[in-house]
Amino acid sequence: MERNGLDAGSRRRRDVALEVMEHLQPDILFRQEESAYDEEGRLRDEEAHRLGMESYVSPLSRERNSPTATLIRPGLFQLEGEQDWHGGVSKPVKILTVRMRGTTRPLKLTSLHLWWCDPILRATTARRVTSLADKGEAAVLFGGDMNSYPHRDPADITPLPNWDEVPDRVHYEHRTIERDGERVSDTLPDEILTGRGVFVELGHYAYTELRRPEALAPTATLWRTDQGPGRRIDRLYASPDLAPALLSLEVIDNKMVRFASDHALVVASFDLDTFRGALTEAPRHTTDGAERLAPAPAA
């Protein structure tokens, strides 16, 4: 929600957003723009209470605006640790390590909001996030506003911007990079995160493996018209062992969502047994260097 759903003393947008989320009843929620988050945590606590979840907010940036938050359902997940990243990222990031009830392998979670106006900082943050997959000791799931574009979507379903048709020239400076002597749309964060299979982008997985073209629907912006048609800049990523648990990925931009936010909701549903299975197995190194999954020994 832009400005956390608060407008000059009115909280109507915020109330509508919370109503939408109460209806969905998520087990994990990645939030961006927890703006107006106060030191006493009143907005955080209100949100968590209404959704029946626990909320963990990233540290405030130097500009003291727009932190992110990750919310988890306490009956399903138990917090094992928190880590705050201040360096090597575009803005502070909070990493949660949780344990799903009845499993043996940790799960790392984080909510991202890549920098809106600096492609270099976006790429730097993406590279730092790949460290979550180091050694494969934990499964990883994260999502957020990437402020950049997917690099493998079919052009007939999710075309990259035609910058000659975008009136906002500042937006062009923020969302393009130089490649082979030309200015092109910034797809670098997605390339880094999915390179050599480090993570799976779940929208692309839903399209290719589940045959769900609707998973590639645009997510932003729902309000402005000077930045061209909507684009798929809000995305979810998972370590490859979690991807087979995906049942569906839906982009929700109905009337209530459009009133509450300039971004659509991206909702992933997982098969619980398959998800648990991935968190009750450990990576095993083979002689050819590949990693396969083997059951963890029973206690």
Side-chain angles (χ1 to χ4, degrees), residues 24 36 40 120 124 128 155 165 190-191 247 257 263 265 275 278:
L24 290 173
E40 293 78 19
I120 295 175
T124 299
R128 179 80 193 271
E165 299 176 356
D190 189 52
E191 294 175 47
L247 293 174
V257 170
H263 288 245
L265 278 175
F275 199 91

Side-chain angles (χ1 to χ4, degrees), residues 234-286:
D234 303 274
R235 301 188 292 275
L236 292 167
Y237 293 81
S239 47
D241 46 2
L242 294 179
L246 185 71
L247 293 174
S248 66
L249 188 139
E250 183 180 6
V251 177
I252 303 176
D253 67 347
N254 58 33
K255 185 179 295 186
M256 291 181 70
V257 170
R258 285 176 174 265
F259 174 80
S261 176
D262 60 333
H263 288 245
L265 278 175
V266 182
V267 180
S269 298
F270 296 89
D271 178 79
L272 190 59
D273 289 338
T274 307
F275 199 91
R276 285 184 186 277
L279 296 176
T280 316
E281 297 172 325
R284 178 178 64 194
H285 291 275
T286 62

Side-chain angles (χ1 to χ4, degrees), residues 101 126 233 261:
R101 178 177 292 180
I233 66 172
S261 176

